[in-house]
PDB file of all heavy atoms in Angstrom:
ATOM      1  N   PHE A  16      84.445  73.915  91.416  1.00 69.00           N
ATOM      2  CA  PHE A  16      85.704  73.970  92.160  1.00 69.00           C
ATOM      3  C   PHE A  16      85.655  74.906  93.373  1.00 69.00           C
ATOM      4  O   PHE A  16      86.658  75.085  94.050  1.00 69.00           O
ATOM      5  CB  PHE A  16      86.839  74.418  91.233  1.00 69.00           C
ATOM      6  CG  PHE A  16      87.179  73.411  90.172  1.00 69.00           C
ATOM      7  CD1 PHE A  16      86.617  73.500  88.910  1.00 69.00           C
ATOM      8  CD2 PHE A  16      88.051  72.359  90.450  1.00 69.00           C
ATOM      9  CE1 PHE A  16      86.927  72.568  87.932  1.00 69.00           C
ATOM     10  CE2 PHE A  16      88.361  71.434  89.473  1.00 69.00           C
ATOM     11  CZ  PHE A  16      87.802  71.524  88.217  1.00 69.00           C
ATOM     12  N   GLN A  48      81.963 105.059  95.074  1.00 73.00           N
ATOM     13  CA  GLN A  48      82.220 104.929  93.641  1.00 73.00           C
ATOM     14  C   GLN A  48      81.235 105.773  92.832  1.00 73.00           C
ATOM     15  O   GLN A  48      81.591 106.326  91.791  1.00 73.00           O
ATOM     16  CB  GLN A  48      82.103 103.465  93.210  1.00 73.00           C
ATOM     17  CG  GLN A  48      83.281 102.599  93.646  1.00 73.00           C
ATOM     18  CD  GLN A  48      83.132 101.177  93.145  1.00 73.00           C
ATOM     19  OE1 GLN A  48      82.519 100.348  93.795  1.00 73.00           O
ATOM     20  NE2 GLN A  48      83.697 100.897  91.985  1.00 73.00           N
ATOM     21  N   PRO A  53      78.236 112.080  88.206  1.00 62.00           N
ATOM     22  CA  PRO A  53      76.789 112.079  88.523  1.00 62.00           C
ATOM     23  C   PRO A  53      76.007 110.940  87.875  1.00 62.00           C
ATOM     24  O   PRO A  53      75.029 110.466  88.440  1.00 62.00           O
ATOM     25  CB  PRO A  53      76.327 113.447  87.986  1.00 62.00           C
ATOM     26  CG  PRO A  53      77.549 114.303  88.011  1.00 62.00           C
ATOM     27  CD  PRO A  53      78.687 113.390  87.706  1.00 62.00           C
ATOM     28  N   ARG A  56      76.212 105.665  87.962  1.00 60.00           N
ATOM     29  CA  ARG A  56      75.410 104.507  88.377  1.00 60.00           C
ATOM     30  C   ARG A  56      74.590 103.921  87.221  1.00 60.00           C
ATOM     31  O   ARG A  56      74.236 102.748  87.253  1.00 60.00           O
ATOM     32  CB  ARG A  56      74.478 104.889  89.525  1.00 60.00           C
ATOM     33  CG  ARG A  56      75.187 105.100  90.847  1.00 60.00           C
ATOM     34  CD  ARG A  56      74.166 105.236  91.971  1.00 60.00           C
ATOM     35  NE  ARG A  56      74.809 105.327  93.252  1.00 60.00           N
ATOM     36  CZ  ARG A  56      75.210 106.471  93.814  1.00 60.00           C
ATOM     37  NH1 ARG A  56      75.038 107.602  93.162  1.00 60.00           N
ATOM     38  NH2 ARG A  56      75.800 106.479  94.992  1.00 60.00           N
ATOM     39  N   ARG A  58      75.201 104.997  83.602  1.00 62.00           N
ATOM     40  CA  ARG A  58      75.801 105.087  82.282  1.00 62.00           C
ATOM     41  C   ARG A  58      77.285 104.703  82.321  1.00 62.00           C
ATOM     42  O   ARG A  58      77.867 104.565  83.380  1.00 62.00           O
ATOM     43  CB  ARG A  58      75.666 106.504  81.718  1.00 62.00           C
ATOM     44  CG  ARG A  58      74.217 106.938  81.527  1.00 62.00           C
ATOM     45  CD  ARG A  58      74.156 108.324  80.935  1.00 62.00           C
ATOM     46  NE  ARG A  58      72.778 108.768  80.732  1.00 62.00           N
ATOM     47  CZ  ARG A  58      72.448 109.945  80.239  1.00 62.00           C
ATOM     48  NH1 ARG A  58      73.379 110.811  79.882  1.00 62.00           N
ATOM     49  NH2 ARG A  58      71.173 110.273  80.083  1.00 62.00           N
ATOM     50  N   ARG A  61      81.140  99.283  82.514  1.00 69.00           N
ATOM     51  CA  ARG A  61      81.033  98.692  83.851  1.00 69.00           C
ATOM     52  C   ARG A  61      82.331  98.903  84.634  1.00 69.00           C
ATOM     53  O   ARG A  61      83.410  98.585  84.157  1.00 69.00           O
ATOM     54  CB  ARG A  61      80.735  97.197  83.740  1.00 69.00           C
ATOM     55  CG  ARG A  61      79.342  96.899  83.193  1.00 69.00           C
ATOM     56  CD  ARG A  61      79.056  95.412  83.233  1.00 69.00           C
ATOM     57  NE  ARG A  61      77.741  95.116  82.715  1.00 69.00           N
ATOM     58  CZ  ARG A  61      76.624  95.168  83.448  1.00 69.00           C
ATOM     59  NH1 ARG A  61      76.692  95.493  84.727  1.00 69.00           N
ATOM     60  NH2 ARG A  61      75.450  94.897  82.900  1.00 69.00           N
ATOM     61  N   VAL A  67      84.237  93.634  94.919  1.00 87.00           N
ATOM     62  CA  VAL A  67      85.583  93.269  94.481  1.00 87.00           C
ATOM     63  C   VAL A  67      86.592  94.331  94.899  1.00 87.00           C
ATOM     64  O   VAL A  67      87.681  94.020  95.397  1.00 87.00           O
ATOM     65  CB  VAL A  67      85.607  93.072  92.951  1.00 87.00           C
ATOM     66  CG1 VAL A  67      87.032  92.837  92.459  1.00 87.00           C
ATOM     67  CG2 VAL A  67      84.716  91.909  92.553  1.00 87.00           C
ATOM     68  N   LEU A  74      92.921  93.003 100.868  1.00 88.00           N
ATOM     69  CA  LEU A  74      94.016  92.061 100.613  1.00 88.00           C
ATOM     70  C   LEU A  74      95.337  92.807 100.466  1.00 88.00           C
ATOM     71  O   LEU A  74      96.374  92.360 100.984  1.00 88.00           O
ATOM     72  CB  LEU A  74      93.716  91.251  99.356  1.00 88.00           C
ATOM     73  CG  LEU A  74      94.758  90.200  98.955  1.00 88.00           C
ATOM     74  CD1 LEU A  74      94.925  89.144 100.043  1.00 88.00           C
ATOM     75  CD2 LEU A  74      94.368  89.539  97.631  1.00 88.00           C
ATOM     76  N   ARG A  78      98.503  92.128 103.067  1.00 86.00           N
ATOM     77  CA  ARG A  78      99.766  91.636 102.524  1.00 86.00           C
ATOM     78  C   ARG A  78     100.828  92.725 102.410  1.00 86.00           C
ATOM     79  O   ARG A  78     101.988  92.434 102.148  1.00 86.00           O
ATOM     80  CB  ARG A  78      99.534  91.027 101.138  1.00 86.00           C
ATOM     81  CG  ARG A  78      98.705  89.746 101.157  1.00 86.00           C
ATOM     82  CD  ARG A  78      99.479  88.637 101.830  1.00 86.00           C
ATOM     83  NE  ARG A  78      98.848  87.346 101.631  1.00 86.00           N
ATOM     84  CZ  ARG A  78      98.543  86.518 102.596  1.00 86.00           C
ATOM     85  NH1 ARG A  78      98.790  86.858 103.859  1.00 86.00           N
ATOM     86  NH2 ARG A  78      97.989  85.345 102.345  1.00 86.00           N
ATOM     87  N   GLU A  86      97.799  93.304  91.720  1.00 92.00           N
ATOM     88  CA  GLU A  86      97.235  92.872  90.441  1.00 92.00           C
ATOM     89  C   GLU A  86      97.832  91.542  90.001  1.00 92.00           C
ATOM     90  O   GLU A  86      97.098  90.616  89.608  1.00 92.00           O
ATOM     91  CB  GLU A  86      97.503  93.937  89.372  1.00 92.00           C
ATOM     92  CG  GLU A  86      97.034  93.524  87.984  1.00 92.00           C
ATOM     93  CD  GLU A  86      97.574  94.419  86.888  1.00 92.00           C
ATOM     94  OE1 GLU A  86      98.212  95.453  87.208  1.00 92.00           O
ATOM     95  OE2 GLU A  86      97.387  94.082  85.704  1.00 92.00           O
ATOM     96  N   TYR A  95      93.111  83.819  95.901  1.00 90.00           N
ATOM     97  CA  TYR A  95      92.860  85.254  95.985  1.00 90.00           C
ATOM     98  C   TYR A  95      91.680  85.660  95.113  1.00 90.00           C
ATOM     99  O   TYR A  95      90.891  86.528  95.479  1.00 90.00           O
ATOM    100  CB  TYR A  95      94.112  86.033  95.566  1.00 90.00           C
ATOM    101  CG  TYR A  95      95.291  85.847  96.490  1.00 90.00           C
ATOM    102  CD1 TYR A  95      96.597  85.898  96.005  1.00 90.00           C
ATOM    103  CD2 TYR A  95      95.100  85.619  97.845  1.00 90.00           C
ATOM    104  CE1 TYR A  95      97.677  85.731  96.850  1.00 90.00           C
ATOM    105  CE2 TYR A  95      96.173  85.442  98.706  1.00 90.00           C
ATOM    106  CZ  TYR A  95      97.468  85.495  98.192  1.00 90.00           C
ATOM    107  OH  TYR A  95      98.538  85.329  99.027  1.00 90.00           O
ATOM    108  N   SER A  97      89.124  83.823  94.509  1.00 88.00           N
ATOM    109  CA  SER A  97      87.937  83.377  95.224  1.00 88.00           C
ATOM    110  C   SER A  97      87.602  84.326  96.368  1.00 88.00           C
ATOM    111  O   SER A  97      86.441  84.716  96.544  1.00 88.00           O
ATOM    112  CB  SER A  97      88.160  81.961  95.760  1.00 88.00           C
ATOM    113  OG  SER A  97      87.084  81.551  96.572  1.00 88.00           O
ATOM    114  N   LYS A 105      87.685  89.409  84.769  1.00 85.00           N
ATOM    115  CA  LYS A 105      88.956  90.107  84.586  1.00 85.00           C
ATOM    116  C   LYS A 105      89.363  90.812  85.875  1.00 85.00           C
ATOM    117  O   LYS A 105      88.552  91.467  86.525  1.00 85.00           O
ATOM    118  CB  LYS A 105      88.839  91.126  83.444  1.00 85.00           C
ATOM    119  CG  LYS A 105      90.130  91.864  83.161  1.00 85.00           C
ATOM    120  CD  LYS A 105      89.957  92.857  82.011  1.00 85.00           C
ATOM    121  CE  LYS A 105      91.252  93.625  81.772  1.00 85.00           C
ATOM    122  NZ  LYS A 105      91.107  94.618  80.670  1.00 85.00           N
ATOM    123  N   GLU A 126      84.835 105.110 107.953  1.00 71.00           N
ATOM    124  CA  GLU A 126      83.538 104.497 108.233  1.00 71.00           C
ATOM    125  C   GLU A 126      83.609 102.973 108.148  1.00 71.00           C
ATOM    126  O   GLU A 126      82.989 102.266 108.955  1.00 71.00           O
ATOM    127  CB  GLU A 126      82.499 105.025 107.246  1.00 71.00           C
ATOM    128  CG  GLU A 126      82.190 106.509 107.408  1.00 71.00           C
ATOM    129  CD  GLU A 126      81.229 107.008 106.346  1.00 71.00           C
ATOM    130  OE1 GLU A 126      80.781 106.174 105.526  1.00 71.00           O
ATOM    131  OE2 GLU A 126      80.910 108.211 106.338  1.00 71.00           O
ATOM    132  N   SER A 155     103.463 107.374  94.907  1.00 67.00           N
ATOM    133  CA  SER A 155     103.711 108.515  94.032  1.00 67.00           C
ATOM    134  C   SER A 155     105.208 108.718  93.888  1.00 67.00           C
ATOM    135  O   SER A 155     105.974 108.509  94.839  1.00 67.00           O
ATOM    136  CB  SER A 155     103.063 109.779  94.622  1.00 67.00           C
ATOM    137  OG  SER A 155     103.351 110.898  93.824  1.00 67.00           O
ATOM    138  N   ALA A 184      90.867 137.996  93.749  1.00 81.00           N
ATOM    139  CA  ALA A 184      90.677 139.360  94.247  1.00 81.00           C
ATOM    140  C   ALA A 184      90.339 140.330  93.127  1.00 81.00           C
ATOM    141  O   ALA A 184      89.982 141.490  93.379  1.00 81.00           O
ATOM    142  CB  ALA A 184      91.940 139.822  94.970  1.00 81.00           C
ATOM    143  N   ARG A 201     118.174 128.701  86.996  1.00 92.00           N
ATOM    144  CA  ARG A 201     119.245 128.648  87.992  1.00 92.00           C
ATOM    145  C   ARG A 201     119.436 127.220  88.527  1.00 92.00           C
ATOM    146  O   ARG A 201     120.547 126.782  88.758  1.00 92.00           O
ATOM    147  CB  ARG A 201     118.928 129.600  89.154  1.00 92.00           C
ATOM    148  CG  ARG A 201     118.783 131.066  88.774  1.00 92.00           C
ATOM    149  CD  ARG A 201     120.131 131.754  88.558  1.00 92.00           C
ATOM    150  NE  ARG A 201     120.768 131.392  87.319  1.00 92.00           N
ATOM    151  CZ  ARG A 201     120.412 131.889  86.114  1.00 92.00           C
ATOM    152  NH1 ARG A 201     119.385 132.726  86.010  1.00 92.00           N
ATOM    153  NH2 ARG A 201     121.048 131.547  85.024  1.00 92.00           N
ATOM    154  N   LEU A 209     127.601 121.054  88.829  1.00 83.00           N
ATOM    155  CA  LEU A 209     128.057 119.927  89.645  1.00 83.00           C
ATOM    156  C   LEU A 209     128.977 118.992  88.865  1.00 83.00           C
ATOM    157  O   LEU A 209     129.728 118.212  89.459  1.00 83.00           O
ATOM    158  CB  LEU A 209     126.854 119.153  90.180  1.00 83.00           C
ATOM    159  CG  LEU A 209     126.007 119.864  91.246  1.00 83.00           C
ATOM    160  CD1 LEU A 209     124.748 119.067  91.540  1.00 83.00           C
ATOM    161  CD2 LEU A 209     126.817 120.062  92.526  1.00 83.00           C
ATOM    162  N   ASN A 236     109.310 137.901  99.462  1.00 92.00           N
ATOM    163  CA  ASN A 236     108.881 139.272  99.769  1.00 92.00           C
ATOM    164  C   ASN A 236     107.578 139.605  99.054  1.00 92.00           C
ATOM    165  O   ASN A 236     106.701 140.268  99.614  1.00 92.00           O
ATOM    166  CB  ASN A 236     109.977 140.256  99.371  1.00 92.00           C
ATOM    167  CG  ASN A 236     111.203 140.154 100.264  1.00 92.00           C
ATOM    168  OD1 ASN A 236     111.108 139.711 101.413  1.00 92.00           O
ATOM    169  ND2 ASN A 236     112.363 140.538  99.745  1.00 92.00           N
ATOM    170  N   LYS A 243      99.659 140.587 102.940  1.00 87.00           N
ATOM    171  CA  LYS A 243      99.289 141.802 103.694  1.00 87.00           C
ATOM    172  C   LYS A 243      98.180 142.562 102.985  1.00 87.00           C
ATOM    173  O   LYS A 243      97.226 143.052 103.611  1.00 87.00           O
ATOM    174  CB  LYS A 243     100.523 142.702 103.866  1.00 87.00           C
ATOM    175  CG  LYS A 243     100.269 143.928 104.733  1.00 87.00           C
ATOM    176  CD  LYS A 243     101.566 144.698 104.936  1.00 87.00           C
ATOM    177  CE  LYS A 243     101.319 145.929 105.814  1.00 87.00           C
ATOM    178  NZ  LYS A 243     102.574 146.724 106.018  1.00 87.00           N
TER     179      LYS A 243
END
Side-chain angles (χ1 to χ4, degrees):
F16 292 95
Q48 286 182 272
R56 288 190 175 89
R58 298 182 180 179
R61 292 186 180 275
V67 174
L74 181 61
R78 293 292 192 233
E86 176 193 353
Y95 295 149
S97 174
K105 182 180 178 181
E126 294 176 2
S155 177
R201 300 282 75 78
L209 290 172
N236 291 336
K243 185 176 180 181

